[in-house]
Amino acid sequence: MSQKVLLNSKEVTIILHRLACQLIEKHLDFSDTILIGIQPRGVFLAERLKQILESEYKTPEISLGYLDITFFRDDFRRTDKPLEANKTQINFIVENKKVIFIDDVLFTGRSIRSALTAIQSFGRPSEIELLVLIDRRFSRNLPIQPDYRGRQVDAINGEKVKVSWKENDGEDVVYLITN
């Protein structure tokens, strides 16, 4: 197994600021916009973007929630190990709001399909967008594309993309791992 650095800490920071600027261009004041981090790994990206938008770009009071999709996945019964659900935390109205799903890696699209189903329990958004740090564009099983992407990666099936966040893993870095 070998791993290659796709993005170092400085490159991750630059991409986060670019994504924040793209969100500001599209949503301006965020009064009708909600950020939803998809559990578990999208939460780190969502929290970081909220922090950048509020502290660096002075965007006031951005609503941030966390969505667990464990039991909405189409493959959740296909494993012998017990599932551990993450926490869903959405403390605001989703009805008629613009929702931005945030996840670290877009791979097959199945997680996003699950998130589309799961969010319906909280109301009907007026619009849903997708922001990802890494878009593995040749791996899609479903017709799902990101509205905002940090970096596009052409990873072959046997390769994995691993995103590490300093809050969880001690450093901001993205690896391409080959078996």
Side-chain angles (χ1 to χ4, degrees):
M1 182 170 84
S2 68
Q3 66 181 26
K4 173 182 144 193
V5 174
L6 285 177
L7 297 172
N8 63 32
S9 179
K10 184 177 182 180
E11 292 167 321
V12 169
T13 300
I14 291 167
I15 286 171
L16 292 178
H17 282 268
R18 178 173 46 81
L19 290 169
C21 288
Q22 289 174 348
L23 289 173
I24 291 167
E25 284 176 19
K26 175 88 189 274
H27 296 276
L28 298 175
D29 67 356
F30 288 82
S31 58
D32 283 334
T33 304
I34 297 168
L35 305 182
I36 301 283
I38 297 177
Q39 288 278 24
R41 311 275 316 164
V43 169
F44 301 110
L45 176 56
E47 287 174 347
R48 192 76 68 82
L49 283 169
K50 175 180 166 60
Q51 186 262 323
I52 290 169
L53 288 165
E54 289 178 345
S55 66
E56 311 260 335
Y57 297 103
K58 309 299 181 217
T59 308
E61 299 179 34
I62 295 173
S63 297
L64 170 63
Y66 311 130
L67 183 63
D68 178 51
I69 59 168
T70 303
F71 298 110
F72 293 92
R73 292 186 60 93
D74 59 5
D75 60 354
F76 88 93
R77 294 193 197 280
R78 296 178 187 209
T79 179
D80 292 333
K81 63 181 182 180
L83 289 175
E84 288 187 37
N86 293 289
K87 190 175 183 183
T88 290
Q89 185 179 331
I90 298 177
N91 304 329
F92 37 76
I93 302 296
V94 171
E95 192 76 26
N96 294 319
K97 298 284 187 189
K98 295 174 185 163
V99 169
I100 303 169
F101 284 147
I102 299 175
D103 208 357
D104 60 348
V105 179
L106 176 57
F107 184 28
T108 62
R110 292 186 180 284
S111 292
I112 306 308
R113 191 212 53 79
S114 302
L116 289 166
T117 303
I119 198 68
Q120 297 302 312
S121 303
F122 297 92
R124 184 171 183 247
S126 63
E127 182 180 313
I128 298 176
E129 293 180 324
L130 175 59
L131 181 149
V132 297
L133 182 65
I134 303 293
D135 175 12
R136 289 187 56 165
R137 66 180 177 160
F138 293 138
S139 309
R140 218 76 79 237
N141 296 138
L142 299 168
I144 292 174
Q145 301 301 322
D147 298 282
Y148 312 91
R149 76 172 53 87
R151 172 101 178 256
Q152 216 166 41
V153 175
D154 298 336
I156 307 165
N157 290 337
E159 296 174 320
K160 289 191 166 115
V161 175
K162 181 178 186 286
V163 178
S164 296
W165 296 103
K166 66 182 173 193
E167 297 87 343
N168 191 58
D169 309 299
E171 65 176 339
D172 290 338
V173 64
V174 179
Y175 297 105
L176 182 66
I177 300 172
T178 310
N179 291 332

